[in-house]
Amino acid sequence: MIESLKIIDSFVLYGVLGDLSVRKLIPAWYYLERDSMLSDSLQILGVGRKEISDSELKNTLKKSLETYVPSEYLDQKIVSTLIDRFSYCSCDLQNPNSYQKLKLKVQDWNMPMAHYLAISPRLFESVCDGLSGAGLVTKECRIVVEKPIGYDLESSQEINEKLIKHFDESQIYRIDHYLGKETVQNLITLRFANSLFSSQWNSKGVEYVEITSAESVGIEDRWGYFDGMGQLRDMVQSHLLQLLCLIAMEPPNRLDDQSIRSEKVKVLEALKSLDEESIASSFVSGQYTDGEVDGVYKPGYVNEEGARPDSKTETFVSIKTEIQNWRWSGVPFYLRTGKRMETKTTQIVIHFKSDGHYIFNENKESLNGNTLIISLHPTESISLQVFTKPHGVDKHSIIRSDPMSLDFIKTQQLLNIPSGYQSLLMDILNGNQSLFLCREEVELAWKWCDETLDAFKNSNQELFYYKAGSNGPRESEALITNNGYQWYEE
Ligand code: BG6
């Protein structure tokens, strides 16, 4: 096994002019610069197709920061310190000669380097071969790839094969930016540092679990890409299944990458596959039609720019699944995600079991159990709903539910919610892989998605429609209420 612990200060960003860089990565570098997290020696080479000069790149980066960093956080001194770290190399990544040009640009830089591929997976092979041909693959360099790693199990295996042809697993950083989010990382602390929860975190203590990632945005200019993917591949395959893994995994032996990844792999291995019969009661897929979000008219999915009017690609899914192991046997896990929904909400809700004998009303009817809400958006917070008695001499047997809340933005006086990329960029520089996916995780998640999509296709269940600005198709409500439960709403 190759040790990759050397701190890196030479970084190559492929696709520096692309959407991901402009919207997410450049702002993340900005916040790291603002927080004095970057070493003075860090240099970043941006690689793109366009023939532009270093100073044109710097202007583009400046504009991107002005667009994607709120003006109250933008400090021109920090902007200029950051963009001075950047230089540019225009490359046709499919042409092996380009890599000699790239090599000349970095020949005096410190080794090893990190190569971040914010580009289409179609180009991964050319880049790996090109870097290797130019002698830029060294034992300690790191290669970073973004989701989606493939389109299905077969294509993800092909990509992984291409990567391991040149790089050891310890050099490969597969990103799911959800794992960089502070509250997601906090899940590990919440679960394993609080004995209160650890004794209840199993089928004896938990009634059901919900994981929701709703977005109010539609597909807009990503239609071509998205239509070939759909919401299950785009959101569930990585983001939602990763959240599920962190909720459900056993305590890792240590907090290192190997221990955490191997526990996540075990969860994915135990995840129940849906078959044709279970689709009707466990899977709903939908597509948005036109409607209003926040009072503004939005076209339906098939009427977005560049859309194919007969597309049946899903923009919404809700799924009931189970983890078939000793800890979770019989506990339903509900996953729900959609585009153009009423509001952007990302949350995990753990519904604890209620006590059997309830003394607060005459019928001794049971009350719902406590609820733990872990919110990633719009706030980053953890809140436990507890029952209390309202103040008042005549209110002995009345109870109310109140939140015990930890709002990280307020308690830690954060200026803004980090996107997740800050933490991941630092881990790449420092050689910490614990928040990156290993090959097995990616492939098991694809296998489960392939099986689910096949079962759906063979079941002849229809695609349901929902209005833009709503909470998804009605059938998604039935998926959970049929079991006597409800989606948690604030
Ligand atoms: C990306 C998906 O991985 O995550 C997008 O491809 C989605 O479709 C985005 O919009 C959501 O990320 P976040 O951090 O805004 O919840």
Side-chain angles (χ1 to χ4, degrees), residues 24 146-148 176-178 181 213-215 217-219 222 225-226 231 233-235 238-239 339 344 346 376-377 419 421:
K24 302 277 192 189
E146 270 286 339
K147 77 160 264 289
D176 176 327
H177 76 275
Y178 268 44
K181 292 179 190 261
S213 175
E215 293 177 85
V217 291
I219 308 300
R222 293 203 309 153
Y225 155 81
F226 185 88
Q231 192 72 354
R233 293 186 172 98
D234 184 47
M235 290 295 289
S238 199
H239 301 326
K339 303 270 191 263
K344 180 163 171 68
T346 316
L376 282 68
H377 200 94
S419 67
Y421 279 101

Side-chain angles (χ1 to χ4, degrees), residues 248-259:
M249 72 183 189
E250 294 300 315
N253 291 345
R254 286 177 303 279
L255 273 185
D256 60 29
D257 41 7
Q258 305 255 358
S259 310

Side-chain angles (χ1 to χ4, degrees), residues 13 49 162 202 223 324 456 479:
L13 175 54
R49 267 183 89 85
K162 285 167 192 163
N202 52 43
W223 206 93
Q324 295 175 309
F456 173 65
L479 181 94

Side-chain angles (χ1 to χ4, degrees), residues 177-441:
H177 76 275
Y178 268 44
L179 295 186
K181 292 179 190 261
E182 285 292 327
T183 310
V184 175
Q185 295 176 48
N186 228 326
L187 268 176
I188 296 184
T189 316
L190 179 80
R191 285 195 55 197
F192 303 123
N194 293 288
S195 55
L196 170 71
F197 293 123
S198 50
S199 59
Q200 295 298 309
W201 211 268
N202 52 43
S203 60
K204 294 192 181 65
V206 174
E207 184 73 31
Y208 68 106
V209 177
E210 289 175 49
I211 303 177
T212 294
S213 175
E215 293 177 85
S216 51
V217 291
I219 308 300
E220 292 135 354
D221 51 355
R222 293 203 309 153
W223 206 93
Y225 155 81
F226 185 88
D227 199 57
M229 296 291 279
Q231 192 72 354
L232 187 94
R233 293 186 172 98
D234 184 47
M235 290 295 289
V236 179
Q237 189 273 336
S238 199
H239 301 326
L240 271 73
L241 290 186
Q242 281 298 316
L243 296 181
L244 177 134
C245 284
L246 292 174
I247 291 290
M249 72 183 189
E250 294 300 315
N253 291 345
R254 286 177 303 279
L255 273 185
D256 60 29
D257 41 7
Q258 305 255 358
S259 310
I260 295 178
R261 288 163 163 198
S262 69
E263 293 307 335
K264 289 198 283 170
V265 162
K266 286 184 209 156
V267 174
L268 291 167
E269 281 169 344
L271 195 60
K272 186 179 170 186
S273 298
L274 300 188
D275 56 22
E276 282 164 53
E277 273 169 41
S278 52
I279 282 289
S281 60
S282 308
F283 186 81
V284 169
S285 67
Q287 190 188 81
Y288 62 84
T289 58
D290 61 346
E292 282 189 5
V293 180
D294 268 341
V296 179
Y297 172 81
K298 299 289 176 192
Y301 175 71
V302 293
N303 297 319
E304 299 263 22
E305 220 183 300
R308 209 164 32 83
D310 59 350
S311 170
K312 293 280 180 250
T313 296
E314 85 284 355
T315 58
F316 174 98
V317 279
S318 55
I319 302 167
K320 177 187 164 202
T321 184
E322 252 178 63
I323 297 160
Q324 295 175 309
N325 64 13
W326 182 86
R327 182 184 287 270
W328 294 113
S329 172
V331 178
F333 280 71
Y334 293 94
L335 314 179
R336 175 176 59 154
T337 177
K339 303 270 191 263
R340 271 284 186 256
M341 309 231 337
E342 190 182 5
T343 49
K344 180 163 171 68
T345 312
T346 316
Q347 69 189 15
I348 299 162
V349 185
I350 315 283
H351 297 265
F352 290 98
K353 287 205 156 119
S354 62
D355 285 331
H357 184 73
Y358 175 63
I359 57 171
F360 291 95
N361 67 18
E362 284 171 4
N363 301 330
K364 309 278 183 277
E365 280 164 356
S366 177
L367 184 80
N368 288 340
N370 300 101
T371 314
L372 178 70
I373 302 120
I374 301 154
S375 169
L376 282 68
H377 200 94
T379 59
E380 290 226 55
S381 63
I382 296 178
S383 162
L384 180 66
Q385 295 286 341
V386 290
F387 298 105
T388 55
K389 170 194 160 313
H391 278 213
V393 286
D394 56 345
K395 302 206 170 97
H396 295 307
S397 63
I398 300 178
I399 57 166
R400 48 181 274 159
S401 167
D402 279 314
M404 282 167 61
S405 281
L406 269 180
D407 183 329
F408 298 119
I409 309 287
K410 281 193 198 135
T411 55
Q412 304 193 21
Q413 296 176 350
L414 298 182
L415 291 176
N416 58 302
I417 300 182
S419 67
Y421 279 101
Q422 278 107 292
S423 152
L424 298 175
L425 288 172
M426 283 313 291
D427 284 348
I428 295 163
L429 298 177
N430 294 333
N432 178 0
Q433 284 188 309
S434 51
L435 296 177
F436 296 83
L437 314 186
C438 66
R439 175 175 185 168
E440 231 181 325
E441 280 171 85

